[in-house]
Amino acid sequence: MPRSSKSSSSKSSGSQKKASEKKHTAVPPKGGVAELQAPQLAPKDVAAEAKKPTPVVKTISAPVAESVKAAEAPKAAAAAPVAASAAQAAKPVVSAGPSAAVQALISELRSGSDSERVTAAAAIGKAGDRHAVPALIAALRDSDADVAREAATSLGLLGDRSAVDSLVEVLTDNNGYYHAVVRAAAASSLGQLKDTRAVEALLVALTDPIAEPSAEAIRALAVLNDRRAISALIDVVRNRSGFFVGTVRRAAVLALAHLGGEEAIEELRFVASDQWEDNVIRDEAQAAVDKANA
């Protein structure tokens, strides 16, 4: 049964209670050459080429040619290693695994104390080494929600779309295991990864019972710029059931302003003219309408 925005205190207090928890609430889910062509000449260049004198090709006798060839051989042999070294240096260096520093962070993420695992998860994202993605995905199931939250955030920073499915699993939270702060971080990272596979899960997350994951899902949909979200965002703004709190509705107004288009702007005009609407939300809607009309 949806909750009323008129009694937002009940939702807010629920959010505060959840945010105060440090552990998840259930058993973690099980892991999951083309041929070269001579350059063509423009018509004016053809006559010029015809006027050029025919070059004289000088030939040399076979014995002389053999002598020249023999003299040049040592030079070619000496140049070969140099050429090979240059070619080798030109090849991009592909790392076979994480750097030593990141490997140390991964080890700490797996076996450190709660605070050490939180620090390691955050540091891995800043290091920018995508070899650490599997370790971060595993850390989404850490028993400490703060560790899982930092792991979800770092997956967004690394920008590796192989993490999309795991982040979607966190966001949908089908078995009720993931803490609200982890779900919110997963939603934010799905927006950073800009993969439309996440749209459906983000739309479902609009109705998360905790405001923070719901608002982050709305912001992610705006970043993804997927117009499938417009009707759902309008429903959030209208809030007929009284379920959505002000922070979530404001996020929806800003998302509609970002997505734009006739349907979204028309809704924002209505909100801006509603004298019974919350002042903050009405002002945001009016600002969006003014920008669209400019």
Side-chain angles (χ1 to χ4, degrees), residues 240-265:
R240 291 189 179 96
S241 65
F243 174 80
F244 299 102
V245 297
T247 54
V248 177
R249 296 182 64 232
R250 179 176 180 270
V253 166
L254 293 174
L256 286 173
H258 176 81
L259 292 170
E262 184 177 350
E263 186 179 10
I265 299 303

Side-chain angles (χ1 to χ4, degrees), residues 12-33:
S12 300
S13 61
S15 178
Q16 292 171 356
K17 180 178 179 181
K18 288 280 185 177
S20 66
E21 299 172 3
K22 283 294 182 181
K23 305 296 179 182
H24 297 294
T25 57
V27 177
K30 295 182 180 180
V33 171

Side-chain angles (χ1 to χ4, degrees), residues 91-104:
K91 292 182 179 180
V93 178
V94 179
S95 174
S99 64
V102 171
Q103 185 59 62

Side-chain angles (χ1 to χ4, degrees), residues 194-210:
K194 294 180 172 60
D195 192 314
T196 55
R197 288 178 296 167
V199 170
E200 294 297 333
L202 289 166
L203 288 172
V204 172
L206 297 186
T207 56
D208 192 292
I210 305 301

Side-chain angles (χ1 to χ4, degrees), residues 102 121 123-134 136 151-161 163 189 192-193:
V102 171
I124 289 173
K126 296 174 183 177
D129 190 336
R130 294 187 179 186
H131 289 99
V133 167
L136 290 172
T153 299
S154 287
L155 286 170
L157 292 174
L158 292 181
D160 192 323
R161 293 183 177 181
S189 287
Q192 291 183 60
L193 294 177

Side-chain angles (χ1 to χ4, degrees), residues 124-233:
I124 289 173
K126 296 174 183 177
D129 190 336
R130 294 187 179 186
H131 289 99
V133 167
L136 290 172
I137 289 176
L140 292 173
R141 303 181 180 92
D142 195 286
S143 61
D144 189 297
D146 290 337
V147 177
R149 179 198 67 222
E150 294 300 333
T153 299
S154 287
L155 286 170
L157 292 174
L158 292 181
D160 192 323
R161 293 183 177 181
S162 66
V164 168
D165 289 342
S166 296
L167 291 170
V168 164
E169 180 184 337
V170 172
L171 187 61
T172 53
D173 193 27
N174 289 330
N175 66 354
Y177 172 73
Y178 295 102
H179 192 285
V181 296
V182 187
R183 301 198 302 275
S188 179
S189 287
L190 285 169
Q192 291 183 60
L193 294 177
K194 294 180 172 60
D195 192 314
T196 55
R197 288 178 296 167
V199 170
E200 294 297 333
L202 289 166
L203 288 172
V204 172
L206 297 186
T207 56
D208 192 292
I210 305 301
E212 187 178 4
S214 179
E216 287 298 339
I218 290 171
R219 296 183 186 108
L221 286 167
V223 172
L224 288 172
N225 207 31
D226 194 302
R227 306 198 68 76
R228 287 177 289 173
I230 289 180
S231 60
L233 293 172

